[in-house]
């Protein structure tokens, strides 16, 4: 026959945790917490380093983009300066174009009908002019007309010579004056 024991059995009394075991448990928990905290700190530092590297890469890309823009601006400024210089040269040429035309126009207005010009040289605004006239009065009239012009100053008659050319009496003259070029 089978016997069933319904009486409570004796249990072993729980083991008492000794002081050393308590300290070991606390030490393991503390050391585990420290390692966990160090792991989190290590992960957070790596995340910060990664973020900083991304920021640095973005900043370097921005610097490169701005350098490219700066080079482009400098190229545009250089081109603008070249164009401005060319425009200045063109304007100077336009101004200089009027000078010889006005000079010859004023001389043609001042010269009498009976006088001719045989040579004309201009150096730095100083004009040396040579020519021939039928009378000394024509030479004097030419000098007076040049002096009366607003475009000429310091008009000097350097010399006149009486010559006979092809049977005609002529007066060879040399003049010197300054062109103001208003």
């Amino acid at each position: 026959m089978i016997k069933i024991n319904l009486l409570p059995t004796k249990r072993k009394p729980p083991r008492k945790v000794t002081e050393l075991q308590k300290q070991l448990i606390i030490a393991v928990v503390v050391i585990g917490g420290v390692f966990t905290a160090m792991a989190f700190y290590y992960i957070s530092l790596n995340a910060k380093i990664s973020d900083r590297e991304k920021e640095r890469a973005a900043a370097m890309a921005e610097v490169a983009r701005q350098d490219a823009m700066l080079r482009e601006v400098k190229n545009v400024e250089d081109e603008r300066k070249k164009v401005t210089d060319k425009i200045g040269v063109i304007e100077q040429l336009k101004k200089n174009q009027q000078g010889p035309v006005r000079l010859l126009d004023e001389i043609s207005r001042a010269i009498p009908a009976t006088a001719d010009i045989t040579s004309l040289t201009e150096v730095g605004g100083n004009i040396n002019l040579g020519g021939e006239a039928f009378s000394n009065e024509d030479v004097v009239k030419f000098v007076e007309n040049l002096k009366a012009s607003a475009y000429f100053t310091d008009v000097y008659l350097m010399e006149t010579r009486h010559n006979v050319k092809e049977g005609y009496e002529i007066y060879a003259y040399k003049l010197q004056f300054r062109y103001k070029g208003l």
Side-chain angles (χ1 to χ4, degrees), residues 119-131:
S119 67
L120 175 76
T121 58
E122 186 266 336
V123 177
N126 290 323
I127 312 291
N128 291 320
L129 189 132

Side-chain angles (χ1 to χ4, degrees), residues 91-158:
E91 288 176 357
Q92 185 64 34
L93 287 173
K94 283 183 180 179
K95 286 180 183 178
N96 291 345
Q97 251 181 350
Q98 294 175 359
V101 172
R102 182 168 285 146
L103 170 71
L104 294 176
D105 183 48
E106 285 297 314
I107 290 174
S108 70
R109 289 180 190 194
I111 193 164
T114 56
D116 290 326
I117 297 173
T118 57
S119 67
L120 175 76
T121 58
E122 186 266 336
V123 177
N126 290 323
I127 312 291
N128 291 320
L129 189 132
E132 299 173 338
F134 284 119
S135 70
N136 203 21
E137 288 82 22
D138 291 335
V139 174
V140 170
K141 185 175 181 182
F142 185 34
V143 170
E144 287 174 355
N145 289 344
L146 289 174
K147 285 182 178 179
S149 173
Y151 295 98
F152 304 123
T153 60
D154 304 330
V155 179
Y156 296 110
L157 178 62
M158 303 301 284

Side-chain angles (χ1 to χ4, degrees), residues 148-171:
S149 173
Y151 295 98
F152 304 123
T153 60
D154 304 330
V155 179
Y156 296 110
L157 178 62
M158 303 301 284
E159 74 174 281
T160 58
R161 268 186 281 140
H162 181 263
N163 294 330
V164 176
K165 188 174 186 182
E166 299 177 7
Y168 295 104
E169 287 187 11
I170 59 168
Y171 290 87

